[in-house]
Amino acid sequence: MEDYQLSKRKYVLGLAAIVVVAIYIARLFMLQMTSDDYKTKADSNALMKRIQYPARGAIMDRKGKLLVYNQPAYDIMVVMQEQLGVDTLDLCESLGIDTAWYRRRMAEIKDSRRNPGYSRHTQQVFMSQLSVEEFSQFQEKLFRFPGFYIQKRSIRQYKYPYAAHILGDVAEVSPHDIEAAEDHYYQSGDYIGKQGVERSYEKQLRGVKGSEILLRDVHGRIKGRYKDGQFDVSPVPGKNLTLSIDLDLQALGERLMQHKLGSIVAIEPSTGEILCMVNAPSYDPRLMEGRQRGKTQLELAKDPMKPLLNRSISGTYPPGSTFKTSQALTFLTEGIITPQTAYPCSGGFRYGRLKVGCHGHGSPLPLIPAIGTSCNGYFCWGLYHMLGNRQKYPTVQDAMSRWRDYMVSMGFGYRLGVDLPGENRGMIPNADYYDEHYHGSWNALTIISIAIGQGEVTLTPLQIANLGATIANRGWFITPHVVHEIQNEPLDSIYTTRRYTMASRQAYEAVVDGMQRAVDGGTCRAAHNPWYVTCGKTGTAQNRGYDHSAFMGFAPRDNPKIAIAVYVENGGYGAHFGVPIGALMMEQYINGHLSEASKAKADAFAAKHISYGNYVR
Amino acid sequence: MQKKKKGIFGSIDWLTIILFLVLLALGWGTICGACYDFDGMDNLLSLSTRTGMQALWIGVSVVVAFVIMLTDDRIFDAFSFIIYAAMMVLLFVTPFVANDIHGSLSWIKVGPFSLQPAEFAKFATSLAIAKFMSSYGFSLMGSWRNMLGSFLLILLPMGLIVLQRETGSALVYFSLFLMLYREGLPGSILFAGVSAVLYFVIGIRYADTLIFNHSTSLGTFLVLLMILIFTVGMLYTYAPSAKDGDHVARTRSYTPLINVAVYGFGTVLLSTLFCLYVRPFNAAILIMAVLIVLAFYLIVRGLVDHLYRYCYIGLFALGSLAFFFSAHTILYKVLEDHQQKRVLVLLGLKDDPKGTGYNVIQAQIAIGSGGLEGKGFLNGTQTKLKYVPEQETDFIFCTVGEEQGFIGSSVVLVLFLVLLLRIIQVAERQPYAFGRVYGYCVFSIFFFHVLINIGMVLGLAPVIGIPLPFFSYGGSSLLGFTMLLFVLLRIDAGRNRQER
């Protein structure tokens, strides 16, 4: 049956085969040649970059005492596929969790939106950062829970209950942290320094993450290294930090400040290194370890006394009479006064109906005894004469600007640049400020209280301590910092460069004399001691509540080793708390220990309570 | 015959044998790639590995091929019905003695091996239908008995294989309609069949993809567009030619074509533009209404002008619409949810619990990552790390794509094309209907396997689990394809025999 018409149909069928193959080759071309998309997807399928975490740098105090180190912690991992049939109740009991928590956690793990890398075949974090004790208890029962595994990690451990605000803490990065990092370093689950030097030296402490590229099969199981590890990068361990903090001094300071609000900052004048930075109230940094951090953080944040606040650098206070030294320096250098210039003080500064009160002392007084007795009148007259000097300054605004320049040169009004997060700049008013505030009609009398560290002027305790360091150095300071040394890395040059103030050396000598007078026979008599010559200045800062007690000083007078500021909120006269605490601190640092008498005194001060009632700052 | 007597050896189609051997070698290499594990590898020829097993089956196949070439070709003609009957009995018995393997009841254990009788039924069915259609005076369209007999021979194994829950393998028998077409089945029936499949597959596949701001189902839109294109195409093809009448009649008879094309495509174009730039609405309803009007117009026009082909074309359009919407309605409204899902999964149109969609995406990632030259033998990550499911069997072409790239995959496709065209050539040169019909059966079955298997991997065809000849892992299918092909070669080798 040769049917010619039908025989032609072989062409139709042959053509159909050719068309199909042509279409398929076109499709292959589309898939394989036109886009790299599939290649990228294939790589993200099969290649898993496993991060290798470097050890975070340790932190030591200035004498090499280990303060912060890494401790193994244990994450409990679960493989969903294998954990079926586990006695949930028993598990919860062993881990000290309730079944509601268990169910919620399991649901979270399975939620692929919140846990994008989820696979039933791989280990997922069930509970993180168990301590060694918790882990060892659980480990004994582990055999009863198939599908549950232990993974070693490391957490920060703090050796001492001190210096919480300086050390800071680490926690998992927040989405904000990940976005904010310019180098795109962080991934979800990484740790980052949140406070203190952990945060400010994050880059040095964290090291550099390494990575290994692994081949991963469809179930997420690892099947070996990609190209035998050719593209792997080993992690670089974090650098160790040596702080300039003297732990003994810090510990004493924290003890002395118990039951009080306030701050102690001590600086080594020659280097700008911060020897101690005490904040009261404080907290035990060990409470921030591992899983407790969240809970502790929440509790502390709710405390009305604000224990999380680093008052030393973010609290701004009226400096009170400690500020008078800066005024003396300004007036002397500007030639408004000489050390011999005497101003009258009959119970204070009086001008017309204006009166700034003072306590009883001889009158009139020259500069040195005026500092020694902390005469209010003297410094009010000084400022009055400076701002009112129309020969030297064409307008009061010019005089004010000049005054402000001096203040700024001494480190006031702006952030000093300490290597800790959260520093406040304090407040040094300028002419514009008053022009606006008083609509242009103001003069020295309007603002006279700034001469005695009241009014608009506020400083941080760090700035007050730095004033002490500047006077100790007779005219310069190095930006205060808490890190003495970074392993294999020089400090930032701002922490090695001297910053000179506008005041003259002679002026400083006079002020030093005045401060010595205060210790030898003035307001700071309690700081007098047989071992070395101390210079000091009290401050009693008025505020809405009971006066703040302040002290600023340094010792020894020549080649000073320590400059210090003590600020006790609502502590009354500077001599009540500031001076004795400051004296004890200086003794501890210079002598390396406290004398018997001082020990008793320290115990007494440690026990002193200041009642803050319902007062909330 | 006047030809010089040619021995069997001289009449063997060596080109096909070379193609067969090349494909076997490439197939085994690809299995090595698909089974290779980065964890390390046993001896490739160890029988505990799939590569070793496949090598064994290749050996068996070559021996069987050799044995087939040594037999007398006339026994296939003589025993075809007996082979068919025996095979049908085996197929019938299989579900009762088979072990349930992933829901399939098609495997029989013979000693250490498992065999799938369904793979051998293709060759038996081809023989039987060739025998039936080569009987004296047979004409497919000659009597309804012939037609019915042919259909029954095809439908019987299909039904039995469906009972084994191997729908994919059963669907293969539909491919024999290609052979029937060659043997005289009207092209319009084949065309209607292909159209129906296209309407169904495309309409359901894209039913849930919404276009025009979620107002119109892409599936419905595409099906309506296809109906319109087919209608216009038929009007163009079957428009009266010069011999049908005078000039006036011809001119007049082109008007329906122009009307349908202008109004049909005009509606599609305008509604698309309106949806995109003015306000989205369900364009499918408008297009459908226009199509119905045009279909009735064609029918009326055909009746008035006594040009009944217009009536048929109009009826085709109406029938297409009716088919699509009744299929749609039955699937989504009449069937229960689980039945509906089963149909869709069986046809590879919906994700099954293991995620057919996932499989297809992974397959395309694997192939796409191959690039021009591929990652090299045994270097594919996607297939090695088991991202591609069924990678030694149904998705074996992924390994070709990933490791051999565009060049290698194209070479494999072209090899299959050459094989298919060669089979047509071989079939056409048979002196008797028996050889030709059998040859076209072989062509149809190979064509369907290549079309569906590679199309599925490339994301162009529904996911129907059938093997790629000579590549997919599995002894039964390899042996089945070898027997199918070599019986043809044996018949072909005997074409020059003088006496018959």
Side-chain angles (χ1 to χ4, degrees):
Chain A
M1 280 190 300
E2 285 305 316
D3 186 330
Y4 178 68
Q5 277 306 112
L6 286 183
S7 164
K8 273 197 338 194
R9 290 189 171 178
K10 71 183 176 191
Y11 296 115
V12 176
L13 294 172
L15 193 68
I18 291 171
V19 166
V20 165
V21 168
I23 290 174
Y24 284 5
I25 289 179
R27 173 71 175 167
L28 275 173
F29 186 84
M30 221 176 93
L31 287 177
Q32 299 184 308
M33 306 296 292
T34 55
S35 110
D36 271 343
D37 247 27
Y38 290 104
K39 221 172 192 117
T40 322
K41 275 187 193 149
D43 285 349
S44 68
N45 250 347
L47 302 185
M48 185 180 76
K49 208 167 144 189
R50 182 153 72 191
I51 303 298
Q52 293 193 298
Y53 290 96
R56 202 173 168 87
I59 303 177
M60 268 85 63
D61 92 333
R62 69 185 290 118
K63 293 175 189 157
K65 260 189 206 160
L66 187 62
L67 304 180
V68 185
Y69 58 103
N70 300 316
Q71 176 86 355
Y74 300 88
D75 286 358
I76 300 202
M77 314 294 287
V78 61
V79 176
M80 289 297 180
Q81 177 86 326
E82 299 168 14
Q83 59 86 39
L84 306 164
V86 162
D87 183 348
T88 314
L89 217 60
D90 189 10
L91 177 81
C92 291
E93 221 163 79
S94 309
L95 286 169
I97 53 178
D98 56 31
T99 46
W101 192 93
Y102 169 88
R103 275 195 298 273
R104 203 173 55 237
R105 182 68 198 137
M106 283 305 206
E108 273 172 22
I109 293 173
K110 286 182 200 161
D111 184 346
S112 55
R113 263 183 310 121
R114 296 170 68 173
N115 186 10
Y118 175 68
S119 158
R120 285 186 307 139
H121 303 272
T122 56
Q123 298 192 358
Q124 307 288 320
V125 180
F126 176 71
M127 253 174 115
S128 60
Q129 299 177 340
L130 265 68
S131 69
V132 180
E133 298 83 54
E134 289 170 306
F135 155 71
S136 53
Q137 281 171 19
F138 181 69
Q139 197 189 25
E140 289 168 16
K141 300 179 188 167
L142 190 61
F143 71 95
R144 298 215 297 258
F145 311 117
F148 283 83
Y149 299 89
I150 304 271
Q151 181 183 291
K152 215 171 142 180
R153 285 196 73 163
S154 84
I155 53 171
R156 283 305 237 189
Q157 293 269 308
Y158 304 87
K159 206 152 181 201
Y160 302 99
Y162 308 120
H165 296 96
I166 305 166
L167 299 175
D169 52 16
V170 295
E172 260 184 41
V173 285
S174 64
H176 174 77
D177 292 330
I178 295 174
E179 238 166 71
E182 287 152 18
D183 51 1
H184 305 293
Y185 180 82
Y186 300 99
Q187 286 165 295
S188 168
D190 286 2
Y191 286 108
I192 190 172
K194 289 283 185 187
Q195 302 292 330
V197 291
E198 294 274 19
R199 176 158 151 197
S200 51
Y201 288 89
E202 165 69 13
K203 277 204 170 127
Q204 286 83 359
L205 285 168
R206 74 186 181 193
V208 182
K209 284 188 284 194
S211 60
E212 43 182 6
I213 301 175
L214 301 170
L215 290 165
R216 170 176 60 180
D217 78 0
V218 65
H219 301 303
R221 289 182 295 230
I222 302 305
K223 306 298 270 186
R225 284 159 174 273
Y226 179 62
K227 305 238 165 177
D228 292 323
Q230 221 174 299
F231 298 104
D232 293 1
V233 182
S234 9
V236 181
K239 292 173 176 164
N240 295 337
L241 289 187
T242 305
L243 300 186
S244 57
I245 300 297
D246 179 322
L247 189 75
D248 299 326
L249 188 65
Q250 178 79 22
L252 174 65
E254 294 197 15
R255 199 158 71 87
L256 293 173
M257 290 298 285
Q258 286 178 122
H259 319 302
K260 306 162 188 74
L261 297 182
S263 159
I264 306 174
V265 179
I267 296 174
E268 184 177 63
S270 58
T271 58
E273 289 179 357
I274 295 173
L275 300 170
C276 78
M277 182 181 277
V278 175
N279 291 294
S282 184
Y283 58 91
D284 185 344
R286 293 176 300 186
L287 295 175
M288 290 289 193
E289 285 167 6
R291 271 185 305 135
Q292 309 169 66
R293 182 180 185 275
K295 212 179 99 203
T296 309
Q297 180 94 23
L298 209 70
E299 266 170 30
L300 293 176
K302 277 193 287 194
D303 190 328
M305 296 302 175
K306 300 197 175 173
L308 287 174
L309 187 69
N310 188 345
R311 288 173 158 78
S312 305
I313 56 172
S314 47
T316 52
Y317 300 96
S321 305
T322 59
F323 197 61
K324 288 173 183 162
T325 51
S326 69
Q327 302 308 296
L329 291 167
T330 308
F331 305 153
L332 284 167
T333 311
E334 281 295 282
I336 307 299
I337 59 168
T338 66
Q340 287 73 43
T341 308
Y343 287 122
C345 174
S346 48
F349 171 80
R350 291 160 190 278
Y351 197 98
R353 292 205 321 238
L354 181 73
K355 178 175 185 254
V356 178
C358 192
H359 45 91
H361 55 74
S363 170
L365 282 176
L367 175 65
I368 288 160
I371 295 175
T373 57
S374 195
C375 170
N376 284 343
Y378 191 94
F379 296 95
C380 291
W381 281 116
L383 185 69
Y384 174 78
H385 283 121
M386 179 171 176
L387 295 185
N389 191 332
R390 285 292 87 84
Q391 277 89 51
K392 217 166 153 58
Y393 317 107
T395 63
V396 69
Q397 278 84 358
D398 292 329
M400 186 68 202
S401 297
R402 186 76 180 152
W403 177 84
R404 183 178 165 279
D405 290 345
Y406 272 88
M407 295 302 109
V408 169
S409 79
M410 292 177 198
F412 306 150
Y414 290 94
R415 289 188 190 93
L416 276 167
V418 69
D419 49 355
L420 287 173
E423 191 186 0
N424 221 319
R425 60 187 282 190
M427 168 78 182
I428 293 295
N430 60 15
D432 291 344
Y433 175 86
Y434 287 122
D435 280 344
E436 191 173 317
H437 210 80
Y438 296 106
H439 308 292
S441 98
W442 56 278
N443 58 30
L445 296 174
T446 329
I447 62 169
I448 201 71
S449 59
I450 63 172
I452 55 168
Q454 298 285 159
E456 289 81 6
V457 170
T458 59
L459 301 182
T460 64
L462 180 69
Q463 284 169 327
I464 303 174
N466 190 54
L467 172 62
T470 318
I471 301 169
N473 288 333
R474 276 72 162 173
W476 55 268
F477 67 95
I478 291 174
T479 307
H481 49 282
V482 295
V483 169
H484 169 72
E485 192 188 333
I486 307 167
Q487 188 184 16
N488 301 327
E489 190 182 312
L491 279 185
D492 192 323
S493 63
I494 69 164
Y495 299 127
T496 52
T497 314
R498 290 181 181 189
R499 286 159 69 175
Y500 287 88
T501 68
M502 289 166 67
S504 67
R505 172 114 194 157
Q506 291 84 345
Y508 275 104
E509 293 299 350
V511 168
V512 169
D513 285 342
M515 286 174 69
Q516 187 187 339
R517 174 73 66 89
V519 173
D520 289 348
T523 49
C524 300
R525 279 184 303 273
H528 191 84
N529 65 74
W531 307 290
Y532 47 83
V533 178
T534 308
C535 299
K537 181 74 200 77
T538 50
T540 306
Q542 292 165 7
N543 67 98
R544 283 173 301 164
Y546 196 53
D547 292 349
H548 295 322
S549 169
F551 171 75
M552 181 269 292
F554 60 90
R557 176 189 156 122
D558 299 312
N559 293 321
K561 282 182 160 160
I562 179 170
I564 194 165
V566 179
Y567 209 99
V568 180
E569 294 182 26
N570 311 102
Y573 287 117
H576 275 174
F577 283 96
V579 178
I581 289 177
L584 287 168
M585 294 292 285
M586 288 191 282
E587 182 186 339
Q588 164 70 37
Y589 182 70
I590 293 170
N591 291 353
H593 58 87
L594 292 178
S595 67
E596 288 307 315
S598 297
K599 272 183 193 159
K601 217 161 128 191
D603 291 342
F605 269 96
K608 272 193 185 171
H609 256 272
I610 296 178
S611 170
Y612 293 92
N614 293 327
Y615 162 72
V616 177
R617 241 190 86 86
Chain B
M1 290 225 165
Q2 303 298 314
K3 261 185 196 167
K4 216 173 98 182
K5 194 186 174 204
K6 242 177 157 186
I8 285 180
F9 192 78
S11 307
I12 290 175
D13 189 49
W14 290 104
L15 175 62
T16 309
I17 292 185
I18 290 167
L19 281 170
F20 165 76
L21 292 174
V22 169
L23 287 171
L24 270 190
L26 292 178
W28 189 70
T30 311
I31 295 270
C32 289
C35 297
Y36 184 80
D37 198 314
F38 286 133
D39 282 347
M41 192 75 195
D42 300 323
N43 184 354
L44 284 177
L45 293 173
S46 157
L47 287 186
S48 61
T49 64
R50 295 199 147 193
T51 48
M53 280 301 285
Q54 188 71 2
L56 176 71
W57 281 114
I58 287 173
V60 170
S61 298
V62 171
V63 170
V64 167
F66 195 68
V67 169
I68 290 173
M69 294 312 283
L70 288 181
T71 55
D72 189 322
D73 60 297
R74 280 165 296 195
I75 65 163
F76 300 119
D77 194 326
F79 288 98
S80 54
F81 282 130
I82 295 172
I83 296 173
Y84 181 77
M87 193 48 96
M88 290 310 112
V89 171
L90 184 57
L91 282 182
F92 180 74
V93 171
T94 302
F96 300 103
V97 298
N99 300 320
D100 189 325
I101 297 175
H102 302 306
S104 163
L105 295 173
S106 63
W107 299 86
I108 297 183
K109 233 171 150 50
V110 183
F113 307 115
S114 287
L115 287 177
Q116 250 184 321
E119 292 297 336
F120 304 100
K122 291 167 193 165
F123 130 84
T125 308
S126 302
L127 275 181
I129 201 163
K131 175 76 178 167
F132 180 69
M133 291 177 66
S134 62
S135 52
Y136 181 74
F138 181 92
S139 160
L140 185 62
M141 303 308 289
S143 85
W144 64 271
R145 282 167 173 275
N146 289 349
M147 184 83 94
L148 189 67
S150 309
F151 285 3
L152 281 179
L153 283 173
I154 295 173
L155 291 173
L156 179 61
M158 275 185 83
L160 292 173
I161 293 172
V162 167
L163 290 180
Q164 298 174 9
R165 301 190 204 145
E166 283 286 339
T167 328
S169 295
L171 289 174
V172 171
Y173 290 86
F174 274 127
S175 68
L176 294 179
F177 276 82
L178 290 176
M179 178 274 296
L180 291 179
Y181 167 70
R182 167 60 184 85
E183 293 303 314
L185 188 75
S188 51
I189 293 183
L190 190 66
F191 185 75
V194 171
S195 312
V197 170
L198 281 176
Y199 296 157
F200 192 75
V201 169
I202 291 179
I204 305 299
R205 181 80 171 255
Y206 297 106
D208 298 332
T209 310
L210 298 178
I211 51 170
F212 300 149
N213 202 11
H214 303 290
S215 60
T216 309
S217 157
L218 178 62
T220 312
F221 185 80
L222 287 178
V223 168
L224 293 172
L225 195 59
M226 272 195 298
I227 294 174
L228 182 61
I229 290 170
F230 290 158
T231 308
V232 171
M234 280 195 268
L235 283 173
Y236 179 77
T237 312
Y238 296 112
S241 54
K243 64 182 176 187
D244 288 334
D246 56 26
H247 174 75
V248 179
R250 244 185 322 146
T251 324
R252 194 179 53 198
S253 61
Y254 269 111
T255 38
L257 168 66
I258 292 162
N259 282 338
V260 172
V262 167
Y263 289 111
F265 288 117
T267 311
V268 172
L269 189 69
L270 286 179
S271 53
T272 304
L273 290 175
F274 192 84
C275 280
L276 290 181
Y277 295 108
V278 186
R279 208 173 70 83
F281 68 104
N282 194 344
I285 289 180
L286 178 67
I287 297 171
M288 189 169 61
V290 171
L291 271 179
I292 292 172
V293 170
L294 289 174
F296 277 111
Y297 157 75
L298 281 176
I299 294 169
V300 171
R301 193 63 193 261
L303 291 173
V304 170
D305 293 350
H306 301 286
L307 282 168
Y308 297 112
R309 60 191 69 178
Y310 288 144
C311 297
Y312 295 132
I313 295 172
L315 285 172
F316 167 82
L318 276 185
S320 295
L321 286 170
F323 168 78
F324 176 62
F325 284 100
S326 54
H328 203 276
T329 309
I330 287 171
L331 190 62
Y332 287 109
K333 303 273 160 66
V334 179
L335 291 187
E336 301 280 326
D337 265 6
H338 67 276
Q339 290 171 321
Q340 170 195 335
K341 196 169 176 190
R342 187 176 302 164
V343 170
L344 294 176
V345 169
L346 282 179
L347 295 179
L349 297 174
K350 268 263 153 57
D351 286 5
D352 64 8
K354 282 183 285 176
T356 309
Y358 167 85
N359 296 354
V360 172
I361 290 167
Q362 290 297 340
Q364 287 173 48
I365 290 176
I367 292 176
S369 69
L372 176 66
E373 293 173 4
K375 298 176 182 170
F377 186 52
L378 303 188
N379 277 335
T381 54
Q382 300 305 291
T383 44
K384 298 302 153 301
L385 298 169
K386 321 287 183 224
Y387 282 92
V388 179
E390 309 283 338
Q391 53 185 334
E392 303 99 348
T393 54
D394 298 344
F395 282 82
I396 188 77
F397 195 70
C398 292
T399 309
V400 181
E402 190 183 14
E403 298 196 343
Q404 311 307 328
F406 177 66
I407 296 174
S409 329
S410 302
V411 166
V412 170
L413 272 170
V414 168
L415 285 176
F416 273 117
L417 177 61
V418 173
L419 179 67
L420 289 170
L421 296 179
R422 184 66 180 176
I423 292 172
I424 291 181
Q425 202 183 352
V426 168
E428 286 290 340
R429 74 186 178 195
Q430 298 309 310
Y432 305 106
F434 176 74
R436 187 181 67 238
V437 172
Y438 182 80
Y440 270 102
C441 286
V442 176
F443 166 79
S444 307
I445 291 167
F446 271 89
F447 184 47
F448 189 82
H449 274 270
V450 172
L451 173 81
I452 294 298
N453 181 285
I454 297 183
M456 155 183 93
V457 171
L458 293 176
L460 295 175
V463 180
I464 298 171
I466 58 172
L468 183 62
F470 310 128
F471 276 74
S472 291
Y473 174 79
S476 303
S477 74
L478 178 57
L479 201 50
F481 284 122
T482 304
M483 288 163 74
L484 190 64
L485 187 63
F486 274 81
V487 167
L488 173 64
L489 290 182
R490 182 64 196 87
I491 294 169
D492 177 58
R495 70 184 184 276
N496 293 327
R497 190 177 21 241
Q498 307 225 332
E499 80 287 0
R500 172 98 185 168

